[in-house]
Amino acid sequence: MATGRAAKPARTVVVAGVPDGLLHDEVMADILVIHFQMSKNNGGDVEDVTYPTANKGVAYVTFEDQEVVESVLKKDEHRLEDRRLSRYYPLKVTRYCENVFSSVTCVLNMSIFKDQFIVEDLIEELKKKSTALSFGPLQANGHISVQGSFPAITLLRDFLLLKAKSLSEKDKREESKSHQRAKRRPQQHTETSNFVCDADGEKQVVVLDTGIYHYMKYFYPRTFQANDDVVISDITDGDITTVYLENAGRRSDVGQLLRVKERIVNQSIKLHKALRKERVYYKEHTRDEKRRYTQVCDSLKPHFPYVLTILYGHCIDVIGNPPEIFEFMKEVNSKIQNPSPTR
């Protein structure tokens, strides 16, 4: 056997867009093998295909050689074609081991800018500045949904923080010149102060991916430990969790807040680079299905002690190192598709 062979996750790609329900699963897996072994698709020897998986229309293809992964990813477009299919199906092929804390969604409240900017123009500016993000339609209440990588979302947040801070400082200068503006937009000042309140050091804010936050809380609880002079709270909004650090002691210790913030940020960066997240959506949305998934995940925990599962009403998030997640998800798929008979 070759000694320098890459680990299985490094030789695996994730294939999305597989047509679901058209053919028997074994036939579709065979079609995928043929596709990824063809030279016109930059393919090579396929070791294994995992299909179906817990995610509809998604398959895992493992190659004998890691170099084939790089070759397959270089192909601009993958089309799944076979005489057993009535038409071709476009496939999205990505590296299994790449960071997949990359699809988070947040809602921005742009109404706080409406008195200073034309909101539509500001959003167009954001779109040009953040080309990696996907923006939804602007709602009547000023809210807009944004989806993309967590780092890109964080950069967008920082940009808006500067905008909000500049508005706050501009208003203060104008108010000092004219008492007639003293009561101008009181609600806007209340909202923007939440964004820039860390300027005086009394409060620090850290924005985290919710999955990373839960993983840190579960496996690295000391990251959030501080003395009695620091109060830590959090607000979760979907894929984003905001952690607030505030001084509780009589004497303000800005240095203590900054040290705790730095510890949280550094740990989150390490985990963001090291971990992978799989999201499993329920198909039937029944209590029995959720119970089966819960039982399967619980039964696997002793074998995968560093894999975290988070159960939601519509899905399960599975978080851990790529090799462990790969094996964990294979076990989940196997047990769900072939449940053990109850005695």
Side-chain angles (χ1 to χ4, degrees):
M1 299 293 290
T3 54
R5 195 181 192 195
K8 196 169 184 178
R11 295 182 283 113
T12 299
V13 295
V14 181
V15 183
V18 180
D20 183 68
L22 296 182
L23 303 169
H24 290 299
D25 295 337
E26 296 81 3
V27 175
M28 187 58 68
D30 181 61
I31 292 175
L32 289 169
V33 170
I34 294 172
H35 175 88
F36 285 102
Q37 287 188 153
M38 296 179 71
S39 58
K40 73 172 186 177
N41 296 322
N42 295 354
D45 292 336
V46 173
E47 177 184 304
D48 183 39
V49 170
T50 302
Y51 182 83
T53 65
N55 295 315
K56 185 177 179 180
V58 173
Y60 301 140
V61 179
T62 302
F63 297 97
E64 295 282 353
D65 192 338
Q66 186 179 3
E67 291 182 0
V68 181
V69 171
E70 308 303 325
S71 178
V72 163
L73 293 174
K74 289 179 181 178
K75 184 173 175 59
D76 294 331
E77 183 182 24
H78 281 272
R79 293 184 174 188
L80 190 64
E81 298 177 282
D82 190 274
R83 58 181 177 79
R84 291 163 286 188
L85 297 173
S86 60
R87 63 179 180 87
Y88 78 82
Y89 291 85
L91 302 176
K92 180 180 179 181
V93 183
T94 56
R95 191 189 310 274
Y96 183 86
C97 284
E98 69 183 12
N99 188 330
V100 293
F101 281 95
S102 57
S103 181
V104 296
T105 302
C106 68
V107 177
L108 301 179
N109 181 9
M110 303 299 292
S111 65
I112 64 173
F113 296 102
K114 66 181 180 181
D115 291 334
Q116 296 285 352
F117 296 97
I118 298 175
V119 175
E120 290 80 3
D121 291 346
L122 179 57
I123 291 174
E124 288 303 314
E125 179 185 355
L126 296 179
K127 289 180 179 179
K128 292 178 181 179
K129 187 177 182 64
S130 308
T131 55
L133 297 175
S134 175
F135 292 78
L138 178 65
Q139 303 298 321
N141 60 1
H143 290 188
I144 186 169
S145 176
V146 183
Q147 184 177 35
S149 71
F150 184 76
I153 292 285
T154 303
L155 288 175
L156 176 65
R157 169 188 172 272
D158 292 343
F159 175 75
L160 290 175
L161 284 178
L162 292 175
K163 285 278 189 185
K165 184 177 180 180
S166 65
L167 289 180
S168 179
E169 291 175 348
K170 179 181 178 182
D171 284 346
K172 288 179 182 178
R173 288 195 300 269
E174 291 179 351
E175 288 170 7
S176 66
K177 295 178 181 178
S178 174
H179 291 291
Q180 294 179 352
R181 298 182 183 180
K183 296 182 180 180
R184 184 183 177 191
R185 293 185 305 280
Q187 184 176 1
Q188 178 176 334
H189 281 290
T190 300
E191 292 192 27
T192 56
S193 65
N194 290 333
F195 288 98
V196 298
C197 58
D198 59 340
D200 59 4
E202 292 300 321
K203 178 186 285 188
Q204 296 291 327
V205 178
V206 183
V207 180
L208 301 172
D209 177 280
T210 297
I212 292 287
Y213 172 72
H214 284 298
Y215 198 91
M216 289 171 64
K217 289 277 287 186
Y218 190 86
F219 291 107
Y220 301 92
R222 295 181 64 180
T223 305
F224 297 95
Q225 289 181 357
N227 60 32
D228 294 337
D229 292 333
V230 177
V231 176
I232 302 178
S233 58
D234 63 83
I235 297 177
T236 295
D237 183 9
D239 292 326
I240 303 294
T241 293
T242 305
V243 179
Y244 298 93
L245 312 173
E246 298 181 73
N247 268 319
R250 293 181 179 179
R251 294 192 306 172
S252 177
D253 187 354
V254 177
Q256 171 71 358
L257 283 184
L258 292 176
R259 286 190 293 273
V260 176
K261 178 180 180 179
E262 183 180 17
R263 186 168 69 235
I264 295 173
V265 170
N266 289 343
Q267 185 65 63
S268 69
I269 292 173
K270 290 179 182 178
L271 295 177
H272 213 283
K273 294 178 179 179
L275 299 179
R276 177 181 176 86
K277 177 171 68 177
E278 289 275 1
R279 176 161 288 176
V280 181
Y281 290 95
Y282 301 125
K283 297 178 180 179
E284 303 169 8
H285 298 283
T286 62
R287 289 185 179 181
D288 185 59
E289 181 189 27
K290 295 176 183 179
R291 179 182 57 79
R292 291 199 309 272
Y293 271 105
T294 301
Q295 290 177 343
V296 168
C297 290
D298 287 345
S299 70
L300 293 174
K301 283 182 180 179
H303 306 287
F304 299 90
Y306 295 105
V307 170
L308 178 67
T309 55
I310 307 172
L311 277 66
Y312 297 104
H314 65 293
C315 67
I316 300 176
D317 279 351
V318 184
I319 305 169
N321 293 317
E324 291 186 317
I325 290 295
F326 185 84
E327 297 300 330
F328 184 92
M329 292 306 301
K330 286 195 69 173
E331 290 290 334
V332 170
N333 294 332
S334 175
K335 290 180 179 291
I336 290 296
Q337 294 167 23
N338 304 290
S340 301
T342 56
R343 295 180 180 179

